[in-house]
Amino acid sequence: MFPSIPTDDTHASTETIARDAISILRRLVGFDTTSSESNLSLIAYVEEYLSHYEVAVKRIASSDGTKANLLATIGPRNAGGIILSGHTDVVPVIGQTWSSNPFELTERDGKLFGRGTSDMKSFLALSLACIPQLKKHTLSRPITLAFSYDEEIGCFGAPDLIRALVDDGLGNSTVIVGEPTNMTIVNSHKGMAIFEVVVIGIEAHSSLAHEGISANMAAIEILSVLSKIARDERSNHNDTRFNPPWSTLTVGTISGGTASNILARECRFTFDLRRLPHRDINVVLKPFWETIDNVRNRLKSINEQADVIVKEIASIPPLRQEPEGGAESLATMISGANSYGLAVSYGAEAGQFQNAGLSTVICGPGSISQAHKPDEFIEINQIEEGARFMARMIEYVVKH
């Protein structure tokens, strides 16, 4: 059922890792780990796979027990290890038109189709395919697999995973987060914050506006400040390493009111801020928070039942380029890259690892342009390139 441990003395075979990774990917894609669903079946499969090679596994359950992170370490428990990090959840396929079953790996024209092939089960599969190769060697430093849940909806699983890593004495490791980068090294990503704002007004007939409070009208005042922040960031705060080179702020959803002749009792909207690493979120949103306080106080002075409620739905710190960063140096050496790492505008768990003191980069197979789309695919040559990276990594932890 599982690949056997090689018995010869040769170093890791790129061809073997690639072949085994595709076989494992077939199993991983078969688990529907959409973020709204449990990932426990996939976690159980990985546990069974690792137990076959006598690799100890730690499961870190979510608070409700329906999902879990997974940690597994091969090799000695000393400093200087490498953490291979990836998320197990995928985005929904509902409403998308697929040419084949999204939860069944399908090969066509040198590509492997299926939900999560690029984002990011191929990296998980490559990491697992390394295990038989690693087990035949005495390693100089540990390799740790760190698989999380709920990355796609706010990176909610990673904090518990990272705490467990640090508690296990792995805080001096370098981290490679395998988001799809076409196996190029990424050393910076934007931070992300999502907020929900609920304005509570007082209903009244529109001809008697003085007797009520329109939540919609109050929300417009707040929204206009958010629009001004977005324009200011675009005009005055740029970093050309990113595309687009400014922090973006967008209002994603908005709803309010029941009829055109009734003052709206409630207006609810969400906004998404993707900020450059050097932009302090408190500085960017200072005008927003000041407006929230002003609007809330004014509404309550009219009627105590009126209110403005702000809820932070998700917050992901940016990944900042590290001067002489250990993770970037290591990934550059292993990959043989001859250029500096890139910056990307999406958010990932990499910033969370870095905030915990672990040197971190992003490097994984597949293209982010395929992520979240119908007929998501990864090119087989990306699996092969990822396998070459893994083979070189194994050689490094054997020799160094």
Side-chain angles (χ1 to χ4, degrees):
M1 179 181 180
F2 300 126
S4 59
I5 298 174
T7 57
D8 59 33
D9 294 327
T10 59
H11 290 303
S13 163
T14 296
E15 293 78 11
T16 300
I17 293 173
R19 181 199 65 211
D20 292 346
I22 292 173
S23 176
I24 295 167
L25 179 61
R26 190 174 305 279
R27 293 295 306 274
L28 298 182
V29 168
F31 296 105
D32 179 357
T33 53
T34 305
S35 301
S36 59
E37 307 296 325
S38 172
N39 73 335
L40 294 183
S41 294
L42 182 149
I43 293 295
Y45 163 75
V46 174
E47 287 174 330
E48 181 186 8
Y49 177 92
L50 293 172
S51 67
H52 178 78
Y53 301 106
E54 300 181 342
V55 176
V57 176
K58 176 182 287 188
R59 182 187 287 208
I60 302 129
S62 62
S63 58
D64 63 3
T66 62
K67 300 178 182 181
N69 300 310
L70 180 143
L71 279 179
T73 299
I74 305 96
R77 293 296 184 117
N78 56 17
I82 300 173
I83 295 169
L84 303 176
S85 168
H87 62 82
T88 61
D89 60 317
V90 297
V91 297
V93 299
I94 295 173
Q96 295 184 337
T97 301
W98 284 69
S99 301
S100 54
N101 184 342
F103 298 109
E104 180 178 319
L105 194 68
T106 303
E107 181 177 350
R108 295 194 303 270
D109 303 322
K111 302 171 183 175
L112 299 172
F113 291 82
R115 175 56 87 218
T117 47
S118 270
D119 188 18
M120 57 177 296
K121 289 182 175 179
S122 290
F123 183 79
L124 305 185
L126 283 162
S127 301
L128 292 168
C130 289
I131 301 301
Q133 303 282 343
L134 288 165
K135 290 295 289 185
K136 76 174 183 177
H137 294 295
T138 299
L139 307 183
S140 62
R141 60 189 69 211
I143 296 288
T144 297
L145 309 185
F147 297 169
S148 67
Y149 65 88
D150 280 0
E151 188 272 351
E152 295 288 7
I153 57 174
C155 296
F156 296 129
D160 286 345
L161 178 68
I162 294 167
R163 277 191 289 271
L165 277 168
V166 174
D167 290 345
D168 282 356
L170 296 166
N172 290 322
S173 302
T174 56
V175 182
I176 299 172
V177 178
E179 292 281 358
T181 67
N182 288 312
M183 293 308 300
T184 59
I185 297 167
V186 168
N187 59 28
S188 307
H189 70 63
K190 289 183 178 180
M192 183 189 77
I194 300 175
F195 293 88
E196 179 185 60
V197 180
V198 181
V199 182
I200 300 172
I202 304 298
E203 286 182 318
H205 194 282
S206 61
S207 66
L208 301 171
H210 64 289
E211 295 184 358
I213 298 173
S214 169
N216 286 351
M217 298 297 285
I220 289 171
E221 185 175 346
I222 300 168
L223 288 164
S224 68
V225 172
L226 291 176
S227 180
K228 184 177 183 302
I229 291 171
R231 292 194 302 271
D232 179 70
E233 290 300 311
R234 178 167 185 166
S235 298
N236 300 319
H237 306 283
N238 278 222
D239 183 340
T240 56
R241 296 183 67 226
F242 292 86
N243 182 25
W246 58 82
S247 301
T248 59
L249 192 157
T250 58
V251 176
T253 64
I254 184 168
S255 63
T258 55
S260 60
N261 59 354
I262 301 174
L263 298 190
R265 181 180 61 83
E266 179 181 290
C267 183
R268 183 183 300 261
F269 63 89
T270 60
F271 70 91
D272 171 301
L273 172 64
R274 306 285 175 133
R275 62 187 171 94
L276 298 170
H278 73 275
R279 294 294 289 149
D280 185 326
I281 188 171
N282 295 316
V283 173
V284 174
L285 292 182
K286 183 181 179 183
F288 164 75
W289 291 115
E290 290 174 344
T291 303
I292 291 293
D293 288 341
N294 291 336
V295 172
R296 181 188 291 119
N297 291 337
R298 187 179 74 248
L299 297 189
K300 284 190 170 294
S301 71
I302 300 170
N303 190 308
E304 186 61 31
Q305 293 182 346
D307 205 352
V308 182
I309 301 167
V310 181
K311 178 183 178 183
E312 186 178 74
I313 297 174
S315 179
I316 302 169
L319 176 67
R320 296 176 172 87
Q321 183 176 9
E322 304 167 2
E324 300 180 358
E328 184 171 4
S329 297
L330 176 66
T332 299
M333 180 185 63
I334 292 173
S335 67
N338 56 8
S339 60
Y340 293 108
L342 304 177
V344 295
S345 293
Y346 59 78
E349 295 168 331
Q352 293 172 306
F353 281 98
Q354 188 181 66
N355 263 19
L358 291 91
S359 182
T360 306
V361 292
I362 304 174
C363 183
S367 171
I368 194 66
S369 67
Q370 284 302 313
H372 304 186
K373 290 184 177 180
D375 282 348
E376 177 184 351
F377 68 81
I378 188 168
E379 295 178 346
I380 292 176
N381 62 18
Q382 278 290 297
I383 299 282
E384 294 167 346
E385 189 170 343
R388 280 191 289 274
F389 182 94
M390 294 296 182
R392 291 170 181 158
M393 179 197 68
I394 293 169
E395 185 173 356
Y396 173 78
V397 296
V398 171
K399 289 184 174 180
H400 302 84

